[in-house]
Each structure stands twice: as C-alpha cells, then as structure tokens.
Amino acid sequence: MSATAPSSDKPTFSWFVLGLMASVTFVGILSELVPSGILPQMTDGLGIEESDVGFLVGVYALASAVAAIPLISATLAFNRKALLMALLIGFALSNVVVGVSSSYPIIIGARIVGGVCAGVMWPMIAAYGTRLVPEHMHGKAITVIMSGNTLGISIGLPAMTALGLALGWRSVFLGLGAIVAVIAVLSYFFLPSIGGEKLDRTNSPLAMLKMPSILIVLLLTFLSVAAHYGVYTYIALLVEMIGFAGGIGIALLIFGIGSVISVVVSARYIDAYLRPLIVAMLGVGGLSMAMFLAFKGTVGVSHVAFFLWGLAFGPLVTMYQTAVSKQVESAKDVATSVQSSVFNLSIMIATWVGGMLLNRSPSEGVRHIVYVSLACFIAAIVIAFLARRTLRSSPGPSP
C-alpha cells in the first residue's frame, strides 16, 4: 500500500500496514505497564516508595481516560497520519524523559504526557485502520491492530522486565523511546494519509451516549474489563492463594499462550460471528474463574484454568471496539473514544474494589475478587446473548 490513501473505492487488506499499526499498540501498552515489571528497581533507583511507582501506572491510566473523549473530538478533523506521528513523538519523548530524569515530579509529568497520547491513540488507530479495509473486514483489521496490546502484555512486558533486571530500569524506558522512534520513521514512509472528519451534533460524544446500542456495548465493556482486570491486577496473589505449581512465571506464560491463540482465531471469525465470539469468550472467562474457586491449585486443572483465562482475555479490546464501530457510519474515533474511556475507568474501578476487598479481608480478599469477577462474567454473558441487533455481524463475505 502506498504512503497516501488509495484513490480506489475498493480498499484492500494490507498485512504490512496493519502490522505496523499493531506495533504502535504494542509500544502503547508497554509504555503504560513497564513500571509494574521493574517496580523494585525504580523504587531503589529513585529513592521512592513502591506506592509511588504504582502511582506512575495509575496516573498514566487516569490521563488516558480523561483525555480520550475531549481530545479525540478536538482532533477529529486532523489528518490521521499526521495525528499519529504527533502521538508517536509524544510517546518517544515521554519514555526518554523518564529514562534520563531523577526528578519524581518531572517523571510524573512525562507519564501524564504519555497517558494523554495513549488516550488519543487507542480509539483513533482502530478507526484509522477500519478506513483502510472493506467493511466486512473491519473486525479483522481491528483484531490485527489490537493484537499489539495482547502481545505487549504476554511477550513484551516479560522481555522488558528481563531487560530492566539485566541493564537497569532506565534502559527499559530509553529502549522503548528508541523503538517508538523507529516505528515513527516507518509510519512516516509507509502509512497511508487519511483525512479527518467534521464533528457535528450527530457524531459528538453526547450523541453517542444517546444511542441505546452504544450504551449496551459500554455496559458490556465495563463488566468484561472489571471481570478480567479485577483479578489480573492481583494475579500474583491469586497464584499464591491457590498454590499454583510453577509460580507466577509459568502462570503468565500459559496465560500469554492462550491470549495469542485467541487473537489469531478471532481475527478470522470476528466479523462473521461477532456475538457468538463475545458470548463464547465471556463463557470461557467465567469458566476459568469457577475452576479457580472449585479446584484451587490442583495440578493440571489450574494450568488449564490459566490457559482458558488467557483465551478469554486475548480478544477483549478487539471485541468491543469492533462492536462499537459497527454502531456508527462516521466519526468512529469519537465512538471508540467513549468506549476507551469506559475501558480505562473500568480498570481503575476494578482495581479499587479489589483493593478494598483485600483490605477488609487479607486472607479471603483474593477469593472474593474472583467471586466478583465470576458475577460480572455471568451478567455480561446474559446481556451479550440477548443483544442480537447490537452485536450484529458485518455484511459481506467472511474474511
């Protein structure tokens, strides 16, 4: 695909272009989560508390949630490629500043800049990608682009953590900054140039929130994200509670394998079978939670439970961004920005509720978190099963 938008009315599917977009989401999720993997090293290196390093993740997510809707609306008319280039520059600078600075306030400021860039990037890049492919391949395009998120969690984060242990925590941020710079250069030469859209009353965030179908997808997003991240945030405590054979490293490996497999499978079937896929993934997620509760750390069974949980987690972002993009014909960036804000706020709420449960009952808190997760999965399954019109399949042939 050329560096400018094709003049043909029949866009084609380019694995290279969408794979390049996937590299953006890959570094986007890594930029958010890497402090959690090198927490002890940052704590010692900066002379701060562990909670202060945790705050660097929280403030990033908060900036993403707050910035998404207003900034997506404000930049809707901008050329998509030019906007993405600006965001990549922001990501690179954010990571480099953290990597070279010893001032905690400056590092917080850099993390806020990164979070703001992420708040704009997540919804815009999915909408950008759908404008490059035929309508019946929108879900496939979003799946490929958002696979960077899954690969970042399952492969990138462990790799960056190992880098930090070997070369120091600053090498992680400086390395990320360099990778983002390379991606920016490739994007400049190979990504198509797509014009923006005009924002009006029919496609504003308020108009989106008045659509019942959008509200259904937002409710499903909230329940599903809370179900997954409420437990994932405290996955190390879950491993400890059930006495998992192999420890956290094996648990994350099995979880990551399941996530990667489900992303590959969902890329093929998401457009033609959106609702069945969502119901199936929610069911698998609920089953994994039930297995943790019923069988605890039984060897073999608990390993299967982590694999099933990874399967359910893999297409989480993709499913609902695809669903929300199907509800609107234009300004898909705005629609997905609303969904992205709910996604980030759901993570914060799930983490907060989990923390409260742990504070109230340190010995049984993790078990209570798993019960809450299971309840969220069940509620989401019922809603998704009934939402036939909202979770409709795309017209046209299956990819």
Side-chain angles (χ1 to χ4, degrees):
M1 186 175 288
S2 63
T4 57
S7 58
S8 171
D9 291 332
K10 295 182 179 181
T12 58
F13 191 98
S14 169
W15 282 101
F16 176 77
V17 168
L18 297 176
L20 183 55
M21 290 182 170
S23 71
V24 176
T25 61
F26 180 84
V27 293
I29 194 66
L30 283 182
S31 295
E32 179 173 357
L33 296 180
V34 285
S36 62
I38 50 176
L39 187 147
Q41 291 73 31
M42 292 190 71
T43 299
D44 294 339
L46 294 172
I48 56 179
E49 300 294 330
E50 292 182 349
S51 59
D52 294 329
V53 179
F55 178 72
L56 296 178
V57 178
V59 74
Y60 189 106
L62 178 61
S64 296
V66 172
I69 294 177
L71 287 186
I72 280 290
S73 300
T75 58
L76 188 63
F78 291 12
N79 181 282
R80 300 294 88 186
K81 179 178 178 178
L83 177 59
L84 182 59
M85 294 300 301
L87 297 176
L88 288 171
I89 292 172
F91 275 125
L93 290 176
S94 170
N95 283 300
V96 169
V97 168
V98 174
V100 300
S101 178
S102 297
S103 169
Y104 185 65
I106 291 177
I107 290 176
I108 290 177
R111 294 290 292 173
I112 291 174
V113 170
V116 169
C117 291
V120 179
M121 183 274 289
W122 288 113
M124 74 79 64
I125 197 166
Y128 186 178
T130 60
R131 296 177 65 184
L132 305 178
V133 299
E135 183 179 354
H136 68 274
M137 289 187 173
H138 282 185
K140 184 177 182 180
I142 294 175
T143 301
V144 173
I145 293 169
M146 292 301 166
S147 67
N149 179 78
T150 301
L151 294 174
I153 292 175
S154 59
I155 298 175
L157 188 57
M160 283 296 175
T161 300
L163 176 65
L165 293 175
L167 302 178
W169 67 269
R170 294 187 184 276
S171 66
V172 174
F173 291 99
L174 293 175
L176 265 179
I179 294 172
V180 175
V182 171
I183 293 172
V185 172
L186 292 173
S187 298
Y188 176 80
F189 286 107
F190 294 106
L191 285 189
S193 180
I194 298 290
E197 300 177 70
K198 183 180 179 180
L199 184 70
D200 54 39
R201 292 182 179 180
T202 63
N203 58 20
S204 67
L206 183 60
M208 301 297 172
L209 293 174
K210 292 180 179 179
M211 298 174 60
S213 59
I214 292 288
L215 294 178
I216 291 173
V217 177
L218 295 182
L219 178 57
L220 284 171
T221 298
F222 174 80
L223 291 171
S224 303
V225 172
H228 279 291
Y229 279 89
V231 181
Y232 188 83
T233 302
Y234 304 101
I235 188 172
L237 299 181
L238 172 64
V239 168
E240 181 181 338
M241 181 195 78
I242 65 176
F244 182 75
I248 184 65
I250 297 299
L252 288 173
L253 175 62
I254 296 173
F255 180 93
I257 292 172
S259 297
V260 172
I261 291 174
S262 63
V263 166
V264 174
V265 173
S266 64
R268 180 173 180 81
Y269 295 107
I270 190 169
D271 287 297
Y273 304 100
L274 178 60
R275 188 173 68 92
L277 177 67
I278 291 177
V279 173
M281 292 300 98
L282 291 171
V284 170
L287 176 61
S288 66
M289 295 300 117
M291 292 172 70
F292 287 135
L293 293 170
F295 298 99
K296 296 186 178 180
T298 303
V299 176
V301 177
S302 58
H303 293 70
V304 172
F306 271 106
F307 177 75
L308 293 177
W309 185 18
L311 281 179
F313 184 89
L316 176 64
V317 177
T318 301
M319 293 188 307
Y320 297 122
Q321 285 213 337
T322 300
V324 79
S325 70
K326 291 179 182 292
Q327 312 309 315
V328 294
E329 294 297 329
S330 63
K332 293 181 184 289
D333 309 54
V334 177
T336 50
S337 73
V338 176
Q339 190 268 343
S340 181
S341 290
V342 172
F343 194 103
N344 282 294
L345 289 173
S346 301
I347 294 175
M348 295 178 60
I349 292 173
T351 303
W352 175 68
V353 171
M356 281 202 315
L357 293 174
L358 287 172
N359 288 333
R360 289 186 177 183
S361 178
S363 60
E364 292 293 321
V366 177
R367 182 178 300 277
H368 295 159
I369 293 172
V370 177
Y371 272 117
V372 171
S373 173
L374 179 57
C376 289
F377 273 125
I378 293 174
I381 290 170
V382 173
I383 295 171
F385 183 79
L386 296 175
R388 294 179 179 272
R389 182 172 298 179
T390 297
L391 304 180
R392 64 187 183 277
S393 300
S394 294
S398 174

